[in-house]
Amino acid sequence: MRSQTRLKRKDGVGMPVKYSRDESILRLIGQVHSVEVKEHLEEKLRSGKKLRVKHGIDPTGPRIHIGRAISLWKLRSFQDLGHTIVLIIGDFTAQVGDPSDKLSKRPFLTKKQVVENLKGYLPQIWKILDKKKTEVRYNSTWLGKLKLQEIAKLAEIFSVQQMLARHNFKERLQKNEDISIRELFYPLMQGYDSVAVKADVEVGGADQLFNLHAGREIQKYYGQEPQDVLTTPMLVGTDGRKMSTSWSNIINITDTPNDMYGKLMAIDDAVTDEYFNLTCPHLPHSEIQEIIDALRGGSLSPKDAKMRLAREVVTLYHGFSAAEGAEKEFVRVFQKKETPQNIKEILLTGPGFVLVEFLVRENIVPSKNEAKRLMEQGGVELDGITHKDWRKSIQAGDIKDGAVLRVGKRQFFRLRKPK
C-alpha cells in the first residue's frame, strides 16, 4: 500500500496532508447530507468571508477520545482555510447534562467535578487545533447570567411535542421512564451559545443534530442569520456502542502508544473501514479507499488492516517512532506471547492476600465486582496460572520474586518481594 508524505509538527506527530482550497472545501462538505445546506455552506466557503465556526465540548470526563476528535479535525480544516474557530467549553452545560442519544437520565455533575475535568482539557485540544487561531469561550459566562424571564422566552420557541419527538425521549416515554424538565432545557442552552458567539457555522456529532438546529431557531429569534450545521458521524466504541465517556468504551487521544495500539487492534473487524474513514484525517481518501478495497477483496487480512490502522492513529497523536515501538511491543506480547519489556512493579507486603481485594487496593480495577467478573471469565493470570476463584487467598511464600500478574488482555504487573 503506497504511503503519502505527511506534514510533521515540531514534535514529529503526523498532521493532515495539504490540499488545494477547492479540494479542502469539497472534503469539508463531503459529509453534509442535505443538498440545500451543502450548497449554502459551499457558497459561504467560496465567498472569501471569514466565518465564525462554533464547536462546543462539555467536559464530562477528563480525557478527549478519538470519537470526539473527529469534529476537532474538521475544525482544523476550517482553520487551515483561514476561518475562526470558536471553541465553547461547556462548563455550565456539563453540569446540566446533554440528553442527546442517551436512553437514561444523565446525572448532575458538580462544579467541582467539572473544574477537575477541565484541568488537562485544552492541552489535549491543542494536539489538533491551532491555539493561536482558536477563540476559547466558557458558556458559564453568559448562561450563568440568564434570568428566569429570559429562559421562559427561550422555552417559548419550542413545543413539548418537538422536544419529545427526539428518538431517545420517545423510547424513554414508551418505557414509562422519567424525562426531567432539566433535560428539555439543554437544547435551549446550547442554542443560546450560538447567539452569544454569533456563529456562522456549527460543527458537532450526528447525535447533536437537534441541538444544532435549535441554535438556528434561537438565532432567528434574536435577529441573527441562522448558522449552517455540519455533523460528523459517530464512532463505534470498543464495546460496539457509540463511543462515549459515560460508557467507558473509549480510546483517548492521551492513551499511551501501547494502550492506544492495543485498543485499536481489539476493535471488531467489521468496523475497520469506518475507523479508517473517521480517525485518519491525515490519509488521502484515495489511499483509504485502496485499503478498504484490499480488505474487502481479501488481499489484505483484517489483522494486517488493523495493524495499519493502529500504526496510523498512534502516529497521528504520538509520532512515527512511538507507533513503530507500540507495534513491535504488540507483536512481542500478543503474537509471540512474551512478557512486556516495561511493566509496572508492585511491592508485596504482608503474609499474603485475597487476589480480588489486591486488584482493587492497587487500583488495577475500579471495584470488587469488576475484579470478580474478570477472574470468573479467566482474565487474571499469576505467573501463567489462571485464577478464577476470587475467594481464594494467596500466600506470599507461594509467589516468587518477579512473578508476572496479567489482568485482562493488556495490563501486566511484576510482583516484587521486600529485600
Side-chain angles (χ1 to χ4, degrees):
M1 204 63 60
R2 75 171 186 267
S3 179
Q4 184 161 335
T5 303
R6 318 275 180 257
L7 295 178
K8 299 288 182 182
R9 292 200 305 229
K10 289 180 181 178
D11 57 5
V13 178
M15 289 293 286
V17 295
K18 279 197 177 296
Y19 298 95
S20 69
R21 184 175 179 81
D22 281 350
E23 286 176 310
S24 296
I25 290 172
L26 291 174
R27 285 173 68 91
L28 258 179
I29 64 174
Q31 290 163 334
V32 179
H33 298 297
S34 165
V35 174
E36 184 181 350
V37 173
K38 183 179 286 190
E39 289 178 350
H40 191 249
L41 181 55
E42 184 175 357
E43 184 182 338
K44 273 187 179 178
L45 289 169
R46 294 190 185 282
S47 70
K49 176 187 175 184
K50 191 173 183 180
L51 303 176
R52 292 177 61 75
V53 184
K54 169 200 169 191
H55 178 66
I57 297 183
D58 284 355
T60 52
R63 301 285 179 265
I64 292 173
H65 57 70
I66 62 173
R68 275 189 169 180
I70 295 168
S71 291
L72 293 175
W73 284 112
K74 191 68 74 175
L75 297 176
R76 177 61 191 240
S77 296
F78 274 105
Q79 277 189 330
D80 291 342
L81 285 168
H83 302 292
T84 299
I85 300 306
V86 185
L87 183 70
I88 296 180
I89 304 297
D91 58 332
F92 190 95
T93 43
Q95 296 176 65
V96 176
D98 183 4
S100 298
D101 208 34
K102 292 291 179 287
L103 298 179
S104 60
K105 191 185 297 185
R106 291 186 83 147
F108 266 111
L109 287 181
T110 65
K111 187 173 182 179
K112 183 179 179 181
Q113 286 174 306
V114 172
V115 169
E116 188 65 29
N117 288 342
L118 273 173
K119 284 182 178 178
Y121 234 60
L122 288 175
Q124 294 175 67
I125 290 170
W126 304 144
K127 280 178 170 283
I128 300 172
L129 296 184
D130 186 334
K131 181 179 179 180
K132 294 177 182 178
K133 299 177 183 177
T134 306
E135 183 181 313
V136 180
R137 306 286 295 275
Y138 293 81
N139 64 12
S140 61
T141 306
W142 51 83
L143 293 179
K145 296 176 182 176
L146 281 183
K147 295 182 178 178
L148 188 57
Q149 185 178 20
E150 193 70 19
I151 295 170
K153 288 179 180 178
L154 288 174
E156 181 65 20
I157 300 171
F158 302 93
S159 68
V160 172
Q161 288 87 343
Q162 283 176 300
M163 292 289 186
L164 297 184
R166 303 182 73 173
H167 79 277
N168 55 326
F169 284 165
K170 195 181 294 183
E171 286 188 41
R172 285 165 62 183
L173 275 177
Q174 289 170 351
K175 294 177 183 177
N176 202 30
E177 294 178 357
D178 285 346
I179 299 171
S180 72
I181 300 298
R182 180 252 301 188
E183 293 178 278
L184 302 185
F185 280 173
Y186 189 93
L188 308 182
M189 297 178 188
Q190 183 170 327
Y192 190 81
D193 287 348
S194 296
V195 173
V197 301
K198 297 181 172 62
D200 296 305
V201 181
E202 182 169 9
V203 175
D207 63 334
Q208 294 290 311
L209 189 58
F210 185 92
N211 296 341
L212 304 185
H213 279 289
R216 285 174 58 84
E217 296 304 314
I218 294 173
Q219 282 181 308
K220 290 177 190 176
Y221 176 81
Y222 282 92
Q224 293 183 11
E225 181 182 348
Q227 63 190 12
D228 282 320
V229 299
L230 192 158
T231 59
T232 55
M234 309 308 296
L235 188 65
V236 173
T238 53
D239 63 356
R241 296 183 292 176
K242 184 197 85 168
M243 189 173 284
S244 170
T245 301
S246 304
W247 291 329
S248 301
N249 60 354
I250 55 180
I251 302 171
N252 293 310
I253 67 174
T254 53
D255 281 345
T256 65
N258 288 354
D259 280 349
M260 184 179 282
Y261 194 101
K263 288 178 183 179
L264 287 160
M265 288 300 295
I267 64 171
D268 194 301
D269 291 351
V271 299
T272 305
D273 54 351
E274 175 185 329
Y275 266 69
F276 267 111
N277 277 315
L278 298 180
T279 67
C280 297
H282 58 303
L283 290 180
H285 287 324
S286 58
E287 191 169 343
I288 290 173
Q289 195 56 52
E290 280 186 25
I291 296 169
I292 293 171
D293 289 344
L295 179 60
R296 292 175 180 172
S299 61
L300 182 66
S301 71
K303 183 198 77 174
D304 288 342
K306 287 199 290 188
M307 288 183 77
R308 171 69 189 275
L309 170 71
R311 191 163 62 247
E312 292 290 352
V313 176
V314 175
T315 297
L316 186 63
Y317 295 107
H318 295 287
F320 177 77
S321 296
E324 191 175 42
E327 183 163 281
K328 287 179 181 177
E329 183 74 352
F330 181 86
V331 170
R332 239 174 46 78
V333 175
F334 296 102
Q335 293 183 6
K336 296 182 179 178
K337 305 299 181 184
E338 297 176 12
T339 302
Q341 288 183 320
N342 299 309
I343 59 176
K344 180 181 177 182
E345 294 191 350
I346 298 176
L347 183 65
L348 297 175
T349 56
F353 53 83
V354 177
L355 192 50
V356 71
E357 295 175 354
F358 178 82
L359 295 175
V360 177
R361 185 173 72 242
E362 296 295 331
N363 294 315
I364 297 171
V365 294
S367 67
K368 270 192 176 183
N369 284 337
E370 177 66 10
K372 290 176 186 177
R373 183 188 66 78
L374 270 172
M375 292 186 70
E376 288 171 347
Q377 292 178 355
V380 177
E381 284 184 2
L382 181 55
D383 245 13
I385 299 173
T386 300
H387 289 265
K388 291 188 175 183
D389 184 2
W390 54 268
R391 300 175 185 84
K392 184 179 178 180
S393 293
I394 296 177
Q395 301 304 311
D398 296 333
I399 303 173
K400 68 179 182 182
D401 184 47
V404 174
L405 174 67
R406 179 185 66 81
V407 182
K409 291 182 179 180
R410 291 185 296 275
Q411 291 194 86
F412 293 83
F413 305 89
R414 195 177 299 281
L415 305 185
R416 292 295 187 189
K417 290 186 174 182
K419 294 181 179 179

